[in-house]
Amino acid sequence: QRKNPFSNNNRLAAKPVHAHRGDPTYGRPPEGSQTEQRGKDAHSHVGKEVEELCLIIRSTGEVGEDGHVSVTFGQLFETYVTISNKVVGILLRARKHGLVHFEGEMLWQGKDDDVIITLL
């Protein structure tokens, strides 16, 4: 309709053109929109959960010879599950940000209870 010479609908002509790959705004919500604000709020909420997870590791873990605090996944799961059922997702986010280290791609309750999680 935007290219139709017989259409006089100004609403369609005023609609912004979608960004293309490579454009810095591609895949991002419009600035100042409610979608952008919801994304910022969600990012902030997850950041707070990562901080809380690190505090729990620090309080329940033990300081190793290298000076880093470590805890097993089983112990952390039992402690943290009463706070949030998203412990694995928050652990993955904390590892992505370089705050914790553990072996493996994913941790599973029961199977990986002895995996050591180290606070960096």
Side-chain angles (χ1 to χ4, degrees):
Q1 288 296 321
R2 193 180 317 276
K3 295 179 181 180
N4 185 348
F6 301 107
S7 175
N8 62 2
N9 190 345
N10 292 332
R11 183 178 55 85
L12 289 175
K15 193 172 183 182
V17 178
H18 294 291
H20 298 287
R21 289 182 193 240
D23 187 344
T25 62
Y26 180 76
R28 297 195 179 272
E31 258 187 70
S33 67
Q34 287 183 341
T35 303
E36 181 189 39
Q37 187 58 46
R38 283 191 295 269
K40 287 179 180 179
D41 293 345
H43 185 74
S44 174
H45 178 74
V46 170
K48 289 176 186 173
E49 286 202 30
V50 168
E51 287 178 26
E52 183 178 11
L53 177 74
C54 291
L55 288 173
I56 290 171
I57 292 173
R58 189 172 285 117
S59 67
T60 60
E62 297 177 8
V63 179
E65 295 173 7
D66 59 357
H68 293 292
V69 178
S70 298
V71 64
T72 63
F73 176 64
Q75 182 182 1
L76 179 64
F77 189 88
E78 290 302 318
T79 304
Y80 195 77
V81 79
T82 59
I83 298 165
S84 173
N85 60 354
K86 302 174 286 225
V87 64
V88 175
I90 300 299
L91 270 171
L92 291 173
R93 178 61 65 112
R95 178 168 69 177
K96 179 180 176 182
H97 290 284
L99 300 173
V100 299
H101 172 75
F102 55 89
E103 295 296 324
E105 289 295 315
M106 180 66 85
L107 297 173
W108 304 98
Q109 183 185 11
K111 178 182 157 234
D112 294 320
D113 283 352
D114 295 330
V115 171
I116 296 173
I117 299 166
T118 305
L119 189 61
L120 302 176

